[in-house]
Amino acid sequence: MTAIAQGRTRRTALMGAMCALVLGLGTTGCSEDPDAGTNGVGKLTAEQIQSKTKKAAASVDAVRLAGSVVTSGKTYKVDLRLKADGGAGSVTAEGATFHLLRVGEQLYLKADAAFWTHEDGKSDDSGTDTAAADKLDGKYVKVPTGDPSYKKFSGFTDKDLLLDGLLSLQGSVQTDGHHEQAGVRTIRITGDGGSGGTLDVSLEGEPYPLRLERAGGAGTLTFSSWGKEFALKEPAKGETVDYGQQLPTS
């Protein structure tokens, strides 16, 4: 055996020993197949992965999503739990936090008095604005279906509508390697090399979406608690206020 061949043999043996040590420590850095022991989604095309993750997301009744959404020039920080017939959680925009609750078609919004005060922070001479804000402070306010706020905010609690829009990457879809999200192995797909958004899909269990970076820097969201049931019921009468046909301008 030549010296070169002997050197190559020693290097191969050394690499094998190092991989054995790494694998013994519970990592997969030396595995020849990064999809070994997974659900196999990582071996599919990007289009197939996107299709499968959409179907997986639609097949379960509940999910939690948290992060930021940028729309119409505003950034909304959200932490919501959604299911087929409604949802609940918090939304923060421009420093103000409010809570949304939708049960069936009925939507409720709860916030402090400052949220309900007119944007200029002033009340009229009779104090009407302040009185209205005080009345609504900390109460679940029924949002009339004809009010502009209903369409604006009910979308945050519509699981199917929200996910259908969020999970569609823009442009040409491609895979972008194996990654990890919250300790779970994922396969990443991108739209137009990332400018059209990126989506991490679980390689463990069902191929649920776990993390989304929206196109154009329009926010980042994480998805969890897939299929975990939670209680959803209308607030007690003492906790609600029926303001009327139209909410005050906030």
Side-chain angles (χ1 to χ4, degrees):
M1 182 180 293
T2 66
I4 294 177
Q6 289 176 338
R8 187 178 297 120
T9 300
R10 284 195 296 269
R11 286 195 298 272
T12 301
L14 178 59
M15 288 300 297
M18 290 176 64
C19 280
L21 175 60
V22 171
L23 291 172
L25 293 175
T27 65
T28 58
C30 292
S31 174
E32 293 182 1
D33 182 3
D35 293 299
T38 72
N39 54 24
V41 170
K43 296 181 179 181
L44 303 178
T45 66
E47 290 81 3
Q48 290 172 325
I49 295 171
Q50 182 170 239
S51 176
K52 275 191 170 292
T53 196
K54 281 187 173 184
K55 289 180 180 178
S59 69
V60 294
D61 290 334
V63 65
R64 179 179 181 178
L65 63 88
S68 61
V69 176
V70 181
T71 180
S72 300
K74 282 189 176 182
T75 298
Y76 296 89
K77 293 184 178 179
V78 301
D79 188 352
L80 302 163
R81 298 198 70 177
L82 309 175
K83 58 196 307 185
D85 59 348
S90 65
V91 179
T92 300
E94 298 180 337
T97 298
F98 54 94
H99 297 268
L100 292 175
L101 170 64
R102 184 174 65 84
V103 182
E105 294 299 316
Q106 184 59 62
L107 177 68
Y108 298 89
L109 193 156
K110 182 171 74 170
D112 60 19
F115 176 87
W116 296 109
T117 304
H118 285 183
E119 289 181 344
D120 59 10
K122 300 176 181 178
S123 62
D124 57 28
D125 293 339
S126 65
T128 302
D129 292 345
T130 300
D134 289 342
K135 178 183 178 182
L136 304 179
D137 182 27
K139 296 287 188 178
Y140 281 101
V141 179
K142 278 188 175 182
V143 182
T145 55
D147 190 274
S149 296
Y150 187 92
K151 183 176 181 180
K152 179 179 179 181
F153 294 128
S154 63
F156 281 109
T157 62
D158 190 323
K159 171 183 172 288
D160 292 337
L161 178 65
L162 196 61
L163 292 183
D164 186 58
L166 289 174
L167 300 180
S168 295
L169 300 177
Q170 298 180 11
S172 176
V173 183
Q174 298 177 323
T175 56
D176 187 29
H178 292 70
H179 298 267
E180 185 178 289
Q181 173 62 29
V184 177
R185 286 182 289 172
T186 66
I187 182 69
R188 180 172 297 171
I189 57 176
T190 68
D192 279 346
S195 62
T198 69
L199 183 65
D200 278 44
V201 178
S202 177
L203 288 175
E204 302 178 18
E206 294 297 320
Y208 296 128
L210 298 183
R211 185 177 185 275
L212 169 73
E213 289 187 17
R214 300 183 69 205
T220 300
L221 292 166
T222 59
F223 306 88
S224 61
S225 300
W226 286 102
K228 291 186 178 180
E229 183 62 27
F230 63 95
L232 192 63
K233 61 180 181 179
E234 294 188 28
K237 288 185 178 180
E239 299 177 310
T240 64
V241 173
D242 192 343
Y243 193 81
Q245 295 301 307
Q246 186 171 4
L247 299 182
T249 303
S250 60

